[in-house]
Amino acid sequence: MYAFEKLPQVVDKRGKLPHKGFYGNRKNGVDSITTRVWHHSLTKLSAGGSKIESFADFHVRTNGWPEIAYHLIIDPKHIVNGKATIYYCVDIAKRSYHVGNSNTIGLGICVIGDYRTDKLNEATIHSIIDLHKALIADGIGKYDKAHNEMPGYSWKACCVFDYNKAFKDVLSDLLPPAKQPDRVPGLYTIQEGDTFWSIALKDGKAGVTVNDLIAANPDVKPSELKVGQTIKFGIAKNSYTPTSERPKKPQSAYQYPLPSGVLKKGARGDSISQLQKALAAVNFYPNKNAENQGVDGIFGADTENALRRFQMVYVPYQVDGVYGPNTKEKLQAVLKSKGY
Ligand SMILES: [Zn+2]
C-alpha cells in the first residue's frame, strides 16, 4: 500500500463513480508515470456541479470516456480535521484521459474550483502538500507540471493556481498572478476522446465552430479522427461561410461577377480582370498606385500578392495565391457583405 493511500483525508472512490467500462493499464504500470499533472476543475466552488459525481458524469456521458478523467481529486468543500478530502478516483496504474498524448506518463491531480476567481483555502493547501509529499515518498512521478505546461496545452487556463508555491508550505498570499493562457494554437493534434464538437468547445463560445473545422479540414472525416492526427484549429476560425437560403443568381447578375475554375499566375484575359476588379472592390488592390489600380487582365506578381493578402484574412487555411472554389466562395461572401 502506498503512503498516499494511507493519508487520513484520502477516500477511495475507485470503481464507485459513474463509468462505462474502465481505462486500460499503463504500459509499465505505475513505473510509466514521470509527471504529476496539476489541474483545476474550472468549475466555481460555489456551483452545484462542482463535485466528483458531476465530473464523472460529464466525462463519461458527454465526453464518452470510460471513467472520470483524474486519478486524484482534492475537494475544498469537504474538509475533515482541517484538511480537504482527497478522492482516489482512478487507479494510478491506469492510463486515464486528462492530458491527451501525455496520458501514459501523466498522473492527473485535480483541485476542484476555478482558480481564475476562487481562492485556495488553507485546508486545500494542506492536502496539496500532504499528497505531494506522499507521492514523492512513494516514488510516483519525478516532475510536477501544470496542465498548461504539458506539450500542446500552453493555451489552457489550467491550472492557474501556483502549485509550486503550495508545496513550499506558504500558507498566505497564495493567489498568484494568474498565468495567462496563450492564444489558441493554429494547429491541433487529436487526443484520445476528441470530436470536432469537443475541439471547437476548447476555443469557447465565440471562437472556432464545428462548421469552421469542417470547412478548414476538407480532407478530414469528423467520424474517423485518429489520435496524433493534426488538424487546423485556431486558423480555421471564420472558415465557414453560411450559404444563403435564396437560389443563387448567375454571376452575370452581380456587379462584380466572379470567374469560375482555377486561376493562377501567368493567366490572362477577362476572367483575370473580373478577379482583379472584385479584389479591388473589397480593398485588396493589385496595385493601388498604378493605372486602374492594377486592373490589367494579367495575373502577375501584384495580383498574386493581392490574392494572398485576401486569403490571409479570409481563407487563412489556404494561402496559396491561387484562385479556386474556396477563394471564390469567400470573395463572393465578402462582396456581399460590402453591399455588392
Ligand atoms: Zn486540466
Side-chain angles (χ1 to χ4, degrees):
M1 199 171 181
Y2 289 108
F4 84 85
E5 293 175 90
K6 293 183 204 153
L7 292 171
Q9 69 268 48
V10 165
V11 174
D12 192 353
K13 285 280 183 183
R14 284 176 295 172
K16 294 172 197 156
L17 294 167
H19 61 90
K20 55 156 199 196
F22 296 99
Y23 292 117
N25 286 324
R26 303 173 194 269
K27 220 175 179 181
N28 297 313
V30 176
D31 291 341
S32 302
I33 302 171
T34 63
T35 312
R36 299 174 287 263
V37 185
W38 295 85
H39 301 263
H40 63 160
S41 64
L42 273 167
T43 54
K44 285 185 80 63
L45 280 175
S46 55
S50 253
K51 53 180 190 204
I52 55 172
E53 290 79 11
S54 307
F55 302 153
D57 190 65
F58 181 77
H59 293 155
V60 172
R61 276 220 310 222
T62 308
N63 293 357
W65 299 342
E67 299 180 71
I68 193 167
Y70 313 107
H71 298 97
L72 294 152
I73 297 182
I74 299 176
D75 187 350
K77 290 202 285 192
H78 286 96
I79 298 169
V80 180
N81 294 328
K83 295 185 175 184
T85 298
I86 303 170
Y87 293 109
Y88 186 11
C89 300
V90 176
D91 199 283
I92 59 167
K94 293 192 172 166
R95 184 176 168 278
S96 76
Y97 299 168
H98 62 103
V99 64
N101 45 12
S102 301
N103 284 329
T104 302
I105 54 134
L107 180 73
I109 307 166
C110 177
V111 179
I112 298 179
D114 181 350
Y115 294 95
R116 295 172 302 184
T117 47
D118 287 326
K119 284 188 194 242
L120 284 180
N121 62 35
E122 206 167 300
T124 305
I125 293 160
H126 277 304
S127 283
I128 291 176
I129 294 166
D130 286 355
L131 179 61
H132 185 241
K133 278 186 181 156
L135 290 170
I136 288 174
D138 290 329
I140 299 166
K142 295 190 192 83
Y143 317 104
D144 292 284
K145 284 202 160 49
H147 189 181
N148 60 13
E149 291 171 323
M150 298 300 285
Y153 285 102
S154 59
W155 51 282
K156 269 247 175 195
C158 181
C159 61
V160 293
F161 61 85
D162 190 344
Y163 60 90
N164 268 308
K165 211 166 173 183
F167 303 154
K168 285 175 194 145
D169 283 305
V170 182
L171 294 182
S172 57
D173 183 30
L174 258 157
L175 200 70
K179 186 176 180 223
Q180 291 300 315
D182 292 353
R183 54 186 284 275
V184 171
L187 302 176
Y188 178 81
T189 306
I190 301 295
Q191 323 275 328
E192 220 155 342
D194 275 341
T195 63
F196 267 12
W197 184 74
S198 68
I199 295 164
L201 276 185
K202 292 172 196 285
D203 196 23
K205 261 190 183 162
V208 176
T209 65
V210 172
N211 281 328
D212 285 337
L213 291 176
I214 293 170
N217 295 281
D219 301 332
V220 178
K221 265 199 172 172
S223 58
E224 294 172 13
L225 296 180
K226 293 189 182 66
V227 172
Q229 179 180 13
T230 302
I231 62 160
K232 298 184 175 82
F233 180 34
I235 56 174
K237 193 168 173 173
N238 298 326
S239 294
Y240 175 67
T241 313
T243 44
S244 144
E245 299 288 308
R246 283 168 290 161
K248 279 197 170 163
K249 292 190 279 184
Q251 284 298 328
S252 57
Y254 289 99
Q255 184 174 349
Y256 293 100
L258 294 174
S260 49
V262 175
L263 300 168
K264 49 188 159 187
K265 206 169 160 185
R268 287 166 174 258
D270 289 345
S271 57
I272 304 303
S273 300
Q274 287 181 328
L275 171 60
Q276 291 171 327
K277 282 179 194 161
L279 285 169
V282 295
N283 301 318
F284 291 87
Y285 304 97
N287 185 344
K288 201 172 180 178
N289 301 318
E291 200 178 342
N292 288 330
Q293 295 175 319
V295 177
D296 56 6
I298 301 167
F299 198 136
D302 287 342
T303 301
E304 188 183 61
N305 181 271
L307 193 60
R308 271 180 192 280
R309 283 183 280 120
F310 175 84
Q311 288 173 329
M312 271 187 250
V313 177
Y314 293 108
V315 206
Y317 55 94
Q318 197 178 55
V319 181
D320 56 6
V322 177
Y323 173 88
N326 291 338
T327 303
K328 178 184 176 184
E329 190 184 344
K330 209 72 197 189
L331 185 50
Q332 187 90 71
V334 176
L335 283 164
K336 195 177 162 197
S337 75
K338 307 256 181 212
Y340 296 121

